[in-house]
Amino acid sequence: MILYWLGLLFPRSLSLSTKATLLMITAALFFSWLGASVRLLSSSIHPFEIVFFRCLFGFVFMVPWLIKYWAGFLGSNQWGLYFWRSCLSLLGTLFSFMGLALIPFAQATALSFTIPIFATILSIILLNEKVRYRRWSAIIVGFAGILIIIRPDMHNINYGMIYTLAAAFITALVTVIVKKLTATESVYAIVLHTTFILTPLSLPLALFHWSWPEWQDWPWLIGIGFSGSIAHLCMVYSFSLADASHVMAYDYIRMIFAVILGWFLFSELPDLWTWIGSAIIILSTLYIAYREKVLKKERAKLA
């Protein structure tokens, strides 16, 4: 039902490909707003507590969906895999929010684009996928882009960048688990189980750093939960309308949104090296997506 109402936001005359593109851009906008809100709140609320409220209000927003698919929700036989997926998602979110609190917003966004690179490497290790020299070359180029952004200095370790890259790696691992789940589970079940498990899982960590938010923080906390849910729904719906390799290319618009929000909210502008590194990472991940699409077509022809 929620996906149906999202579809009504656009004229029926639009092609499915165009709708998918617009939905992915909308998801990028909400993901960017979520990140900016986290960075804004991190000056007064501990990131662990922000993670809990992100999960809590995200769950509240998903309750109507949970009621509708309750029977399928209880009938799943993948609770163990869902639990580990949720634990990793929680860890990745914690690292991501801690990184946002320490480094410029646009820089954190640029480093998050490394997820497809890590996902490709993990697919080789965990799913025994074959990767030829072209994709290996793109992976190496992508890591060169990472080094340009972080410009490692052993005398001055930037923990914000380390947290953000750790979050990207863990999110890539979650992506591999989701690939395994989609073989037997629906998208609805995957989203619902994760939301249901994450909320109580995140509470104990938040209690160690608990302080009641000020009244002016509550709209931002509610907005984080709402933004995250809307962003994921738009992304899921865009995947249902067009090929993932097509719509994911528009996820990189987040960099533009991040620069605008970083300048407007935090008076931050990325330096030249961040732009160069971002461009290299984006181009390498786009090429990886392109090669995966080509190989998928080749496998389909052989089948």
Side-chain angles (χ1 to χ4, degrees):
M1 180 60 71
I2 297 175
L3 298 183
Y4 169 78
W5 285 109
L6 285 174
L8 295 181
L9 294 175
F10 308 110
R12 292 186 178 181
S13 58
L14 292 178
S15 66
L16 293 180
S17 177
T18 303
K19 285 183 179 179
T21 299
L22 292 174
L23 283 164
M24 195 62 195
I25 293 172
T26 304
L29 175 61
F30 277 102
F31 275 131
S32 299
W33 183 253
L34 185 153
S37 300
V38 170
R39 180 163 172 77
L40 201 66
L41 287 169
S42 61
S43 61
S44 58
I45 303 176
H46 195 278
F48 285 17
E49 192 175 345
I50 299 175
V51 169
F52 167 70
F53 283 114
R54 154 71 183 96
C55 298
L56 175 64
F57 291 119
F59 174 74
V60 170
F61 182 77
M62 297 292 292
V63 164
W65 216 9
L66 180 64
I67 293 172
K68 182 175 181 179
Y69 295 98
W70 183 253
F73 176 80
L74 291 177
S76 174
N77 60 355
Q78 296 283 4
W79 280 93
L81 203 54
Y82 279 127
F83 176 77
W84 287 113
R85 193 258 187 183
S86 299
C87 289
L88 288 169
S89 294
L90 176 60
L91 188 61
T93 305
L94 290 172
F95 278 132
S96 177
F97 284 14
M98 287 191 293
L100 282 167
L102 295 174
I103 62 176
F105 183 45
Q107 198 173 61
T109 301
L111 291 174
S112 72
F113 292 147
T114 57
I115 292 171
I117 297 173
F118 289 128
T120 303
I121 296 172
L122 288 168
S123 295
I124 299 167
I125 299 170
L126 301 177
L127 302 179
N128 295 318
E129 289 189 6
K130 292 182 179 180
V131 174
R132 295 183 175 89
Y133 72 94
R134 291 180 180 178
R135 280 197 285 174
W136 272 119
S137 300
I139 290 170
I140 294 170
V141 170
F143 275 106
I146 296 171
L147 292 175
I148 290 173
I149 292 175
I150 66 176
R151 298 187 294 284
D153 180 1
M154 297 308 295
H155 301 290
N156 185 23
I157 298 174
N158 190 320
Y159 288 100
M161 291 184 182
I162 294 174
Y163 292 148
T164 304
L165 287 172
F169 179 82
I170 294 168
T171 303
L173 184 56
V174 170
T175 302
V176 174
I177 294 175
V178 170
K179 280 185 180 180
K180 187 174 178 64
L181 282 170
T182 52
T184 57
E185 304 288 295
S186 70
V187 173
Y188 298 99
I190 294 170
V191 174
L192 286 170
H193 280 82
T194 304
T195 307
F196 183 80
I197 297 171
L198 268 177
T199 304
L201 206 60
S202 61
L203 179 59
L205 292 173
L207 291 176
F208 281 106
H209 305 276
W210 191 267
S211 63
W212 282 103
E214 301 292 334
W215 65 269
Q216 66 269 19
D217 293 331
W218 285 105
W220 291 96
L221 290 170
I222 295 170
I224 285 174
F226 174 79
S227 298
S229 297
I230 287 292
H232 279 102
L233 287 171
C234 287
M235 181 183 289
V236 169
Y237 192 26
S238 69
F239 287 157
S240 71
L241 297 177
D243 189 76
S245 61
H246 165 75
V247 295
M248 281 305 294
Y250 295 93
D251 179 53
Y252 298 110
I253 292 176
R254 279 196 294 127
M255 189 63 188
I256 298 174
F257 293 144
V259 171
I260 294 171
L261 289 170
W263 173 74
F264 183 74
L265 294 175
F266 314 113
S267 300
E268 297 174 350
L269 283 175
D271 59 20
L272 177 62
W273 295 112
T274 300
W275 280 114
I276 294 173
S278 301
I280 292 173
I281 292 171
I282 289 171
L283 289 173
S284 66
T285 54
L286 285 174
Y287 184 76
I288 289 171
Y290 166 74
R291 287 301 304 167
E292 288 179 352
K293 184 178 181 180
V294 170
L295 293 172
K296 184 179 179 182
K297 287 183 178 180
E298 290 178 357
R299 286 193 293 266
K301 286 181 181 179
L302 290 173

